[in-house]
Amino acid sequence: MGLSVRAFTRQHIVAIAVGVLVAGTPLIAFNFWLSGVIERQGQAETDSAARRMISLSESRVGEVVRALDQLAAAGVAGCEPANAGAMQRAVFVTPPIKELAIVGSDGRTLCSHLNIAQTATADIGNADAADRNLVDHRVLSSEPLDSRYMLDIVGLADGGQMVRLRLRAGDGPNEIAALMHASLLLPQATAKTDRLYSYVQITTRQGASIGESGEQAKDAGEGFTAMRTSEKFGFVVNVVTQRGRTLAGNVDLKWVGLFVTGIVVVILVAFGMMVPKNLPNNPVAELERALKAGELVPYYQPIVDIQSGKLRGAEVLVRWRKADGTLVLPGSFIPLAESSGLIRAMTFDLMRRVCVEAGAAIGQRPALKISFNFAGALFSDETIIKDVSRTFAGTPIKMSQVVLEVTERDPIENFTLTRQVIAALQGLGVRIAIDDVGTGHSGLSYVLKLGVDIIKIDKMFVDAIGTDRNSTTIVETLVDLAHNMRMDVVAEGVENFEQVMHLRNLGVRSAQGYVFAPPLPGSSFLKLVEAMDTLGAENAGGAALPRKVAAA
Ligand code: C2E
Ligand code: CA
Ligand code: CA
């Protein structure tokens, strides 16, 4: 009991370990892969967001630059009323431009596209009057945008910021300047970008902040970051995205993850259903292991000549001797060995073991016969003929000493083939016995057509001897029949002397049963053989029973 509980737990631990390995490995690999994908995807999204911001800023600033270039080319360089139309048109067709102005050499705004018409007629020097119509601003920083343009960051009274581009116009000291909202250089806050970016910033070549939005992550390790520089204008863009906010970290891959986990669970369940066939708690695998481990061993039940009292030989009966010493009887594993096909390997293994263990003792005593139980199915396979002859070739046991027992209990599937195989085996010198006669359903006359050499009378009839008239008659009939057909008779399961006397009176020659000896382990059987027939003593017709055994 304790043993089976221990085996049960060990198996389950093995099964769980195997299950965890089988299911866990792909799951871990998948999650590893998935996090790699999310990582790469997240970084790629962040990089491309930064690239988009660069191209946005370049295209917006590029529009303004083109508009100013066109005005300069058109000769706009001062506040002459003639320039009003061109300036107003430029603002109208260039969306990013909020205000166009003419700036003097001292940096003061002389006029804008909004008041150029009035300032032309007014006192040009009255800058206060002109300024009143302009966007109220303060220059925070100035630096070159490129070889021709200056870039100013302009602070508004309300705290907002604008970008101003200035271009030297004409031959005079004046410049044309365009104001644009800094926010135009930042991504527009759509629902999608809102979700994606946690922080964006754009600065000038020299590091002045043009604009920023969102909150910078407290822990930089929490998100992906990308930094890009505009080759055209030197703007530097910084983008930070939060891990969970990238599109990759969002819905799609989570569903993929869930789906794959589901598949792994299905595989695990399927595996769990299959595993028991391959684990030790599977009886076939366990029997196979026992066979390989040499745990299936031969026992020998002596067969005695009840006319002379001599030992005629033995029937080999398999025993499963487990590692812990327990002995398992064949009734509990032979059916499994037969149905699984292991019976063939087991039978031949048993034969080889007998050759090694008792070959010498048997071979030295030609009158001794050694019987093997041979499953019916084996007789419908011609290849066993060769196997039987190979097994005993080169061993002390002669073919004429080998008896194969075929049971009458199992129906004979291919009668013709079975008969041919039996005949071929008999050709080798092997003798064939019909086991359990009287218990099968084939009918005795049918079975006898197989042409066997020996009839083994089942214990059932032996038990009934003396008590049941019919049984006595059946045994009598069988013995007569056997003698007429020149077959030998062996009575099985003989348990008392009364039965021995009866069988002897009926003319039965050989018997086996507990009254003589139970199936014996090899060592005991060899001692018995020695005791009953010390070599050199007259051994014709078998070994004589020692006085003690014979009298018992
Ligand atoms: P079986 O061939 O009819 O073997 C005789 C059975 O009766 C044996 O049981 C034996 O131990 C038992 N027996 C012998 N004398 C007496 C007795 O006086 N009284 C009682 N009550 N029983 C007695 P065992 O060893 O348990 O074997 C059972 C069956 O398993 C065998 O029946 C045989 O059909 C099968 N078997 C055993 N070894 C092998 C084998 O190597 N190959 C095949 N195919 N079958 C085997
Ligand atoms: Ca038998
Ligand atoms: Ca039998």
Side-chain angles (χ1 to χ4, degrees):
M1 189 63 188
L3 187 87
S4 73
V5 167
R6 209 168 57 227
F8 178 84
T9 1
R10 204 172 45 229
Q11 275 161 25
H12 279 76
I13 289 168
V14 169
I16 287 165
V18 170
V20 164
L21 262 178
V22 165
T25 308
L27 209 62
I28 288 168
F30 176 76
N31 279 332
F32 192 71
W33 172 81
L34 190 66
S35 65
V37 167
I38 289 174
E39 190 77 22
R40 280 193 301 277
Q41 194 92 349
Q43 190 58 54
E45 278 179 36
T46 311
D47 283 340
S48 95
R51 264 199 311 276
R52 278 199 307 276
M53 265 185 77
I54 288 290
S55 67
L56 176 80
S57 64
E58 285 181 347
S59 87
R60 295 250 156 98
V61 170
E63 266 183 89
V64 176
V65 163
R66 267 193 307 280
L68 292 181
D69 280 348
Q70 276 169 12
L71 286 173
V76 175
C79 292
E80 296 82 18
N83 291 336
M87 286 171 71
Q88 280 158 7
R89 200 164 42 249
V91 172
F92 189 70
V93 300
T94 318
I97 299 179
K98 185 80 181 158
E99 182 190 276
L100 265 178
I102 302 295
V103 178
S105 59
D106 57 357
R108 286 207 314 158
T109 301
L110 304 178
C111 63
S112 84
H113 75 283
L114 298 170
N115 64 5
I116 180 169
Q118 297 106 38
T119 50
T121 49
D123 177 13
I124 286 183
N126 187 354
D128 287 349
D131 278 355
R132 234 173 285 128
N133 289 311
L134 296 174
V135 174
D136 193 11
H137 65 264
R138 196 159 42 89
V139 175
L140 300 174
S141 74
S142 284
E143 65 185 87
L145 177 72
D146 56 17
S147 54
R148 297 179 304 132
Y149 277 88
M150 287 300 288
L151 180 148
D152 305 323
I153 304 295
V154 170
L156 302 181
D158 65 359
Q161 271 191 188
M162 296 198 96
V163 172
R164 186 169 74 171
L165 299 185
R166 285 183 280 131
L167 173 69
R168 177 63 58 82
D171 300 327
N174 290 350
E175 291 173 312
I176 332 173
L179 272 173
M180 62 190 287
H181 269 296
S183 66
L184 288 180
L185 304 184
L186 292 170
Q188 298 307 297
T190 64
K192 194 172 168 182
T193 53
D194 256 352
R195 212 174 55 207
L196 180 58
Y197 309 121
S198 54
Y199 178 75
V200 293
Q201 182 200 38
I202 182 164
T203 60
T204 65
R205 199 191 303 272
Q206 293 182 3
S209 173
I210 297 172
E212 62 183 335
S213 78
E215 275 175 40
Q216 200 149 14
K218 287 188 192 80
D219 180 0
E222 289 286 285
F224 302 102
T225 60
M227 187 197 246
R228 293 229 149 217
T229 307
S230 155
E231 281 176 26
K232 245 185 191 159
F233 302 125
F235 302 138
V236 177
V237 156
N238 255 305
V239 176
V240 179
T241 58
Q242 268 173 23
R243 219 155 270 265
R245 285 195 179 181
T246 59
L247 294 180
N250 268 332
V251 245
D252 298 358
L253 283 177
K254 271 181 203 147
W255 281 113
V256 172
L258 218 64
F259 179 69
V260 169
T261 307
I263 284 187
V264 168
V265 166
V266 168
I267 290 173
L268 180 66
V269 167
F271 186 82
M273 273 153 48
M274 272 152 50
V275 153
K277 286 191 191 123
N278 300 317
L279 282 180
N281 73 337
N282 165 23
V284 176
E286 180 62 2
L287 189 59
E288 197 169 2
R289 188 204 56 74
L291 175 62
K292 284 186 184 139
E295 291 179 8
L296 302 182
V297 298
Y299 266 52
Y300 306 78
Q301 185 171 38
I303 297 174
V304 173
D305 184 330
I306 52 174
Q307 304 289 340
S308 70
K310 288 177 178 173
L311 185 65
R312 297 213 70 191
E315 175 181 2
V316 173
L317 294 158
V318 68
R319 296 288 181 268
W320 182 348
R321 191 152 56 201
K322 295 204 166 179
D324 63 3
T326 48
L327 212 58
V328 183
L329 291 176
S332 66
F333 60 89
I334 288 292
L336 190 68
E338 287 184 353
S339 63
S340 68
L342 272 177
I343 189 72
R344 181 178 176 142
M346 192 206 81
T347 303
F348 283 101
D349 179 72
L350 218 55
M351 286 175 162
R352 284 188 290 270
R353 285 173 179 279
V354 168
C355 288
V356 170
E357 186 174 46
I362 295 166
Q364 285 164 348
R365 300 168 174 89
L368 292 185
K369 309 279 185 254
I370 186 85
S371 291
F372 296 92
N373 289 284
F374 227 65
L378 297 183
F379 283 100
S380 47
D381 179 355
E382 290 158 296
T383 62
I384 62 137
I385 303 160
K386 245 189 198 152
D387 283 358
V388 169
S389 98
R390 276 203 204 116
T391 303
F392 293 99
T395 75
I397 299 177
K398 289 160 205 70
M399 283 299 183
S400 57
Q401 293 183 283
V402 176
V403 178
L404 301 181
E405 299 186 5
V406 54
T407 178
E408 205 225 290
R409 229 182 274 270
D410 302 336
I412 299 159
E413 268 166 28
N414 187 337
F415 190 88
T416 314
L417 185 59
T418 301
R419 199 167 64 173
Q420 284 168 357
V421 170
I422 284 175
L425 287 165
Q426 287 168 326
L428 296 173
V430 171
R431 302 207 308 153
I432 310 293
I434 287 278
D435 203 356
D436 311 321
V437 161
T439 61
H441 306 284
S442 316
L444 187 59
S445 60
Y446 177 78
V447 171
L448 289 180
K449 286 194 183 117
L450 288 172
V452 299
D453 308 286
I454 301 160
I455 283 179
K456 294 193 81 169
I457 298 174
D458 194 75
K459 182 178 187 299
M460 188 173 86
F461 301 107
V462 174
D463 283 346
I465 287 172
T467 56
D468 180 344
R469 273 196 145 272
N470 288 336
S471 280
T472 313
T473 319
I474 288 171
V475 174
E476 245 173 285
T477 314
L478 279 175
V479 173
D480 279 350
L481 187 92
H483 288 164
N484 290 339
M485 294 181 76
R486 298 176 190 284
M487 295 189 294
D488 272 348
V489 176
V490 178
E492 286 188 309
V494 183
E495 290 182 341
N496 57 57
F497 296 111
E498 222 183 324
Q499 290 167 340
V500 178
M501 305 299 275
H502 262 98
L503 288 165
R504 197 157 61 178
N505 291 339
L506 288 171
V508 172
R509 188 160 171 216
S510 307
Q512 67 184 99
Y514 294 166
V515 70
F516 307 114
L520 303 169
S523 55
S524 306
F525 175 66
L526 290 175
K527 274 185 207 153
L528 180 72
V529 172
E530 281 294 329
M532 292 176 77
D533 177 23
T534 47
L535 276 178
E538 24 70 77
N539 62 354
L545 277 175
R547 203 174 291 274
K548 218 170 113 195
V549 177

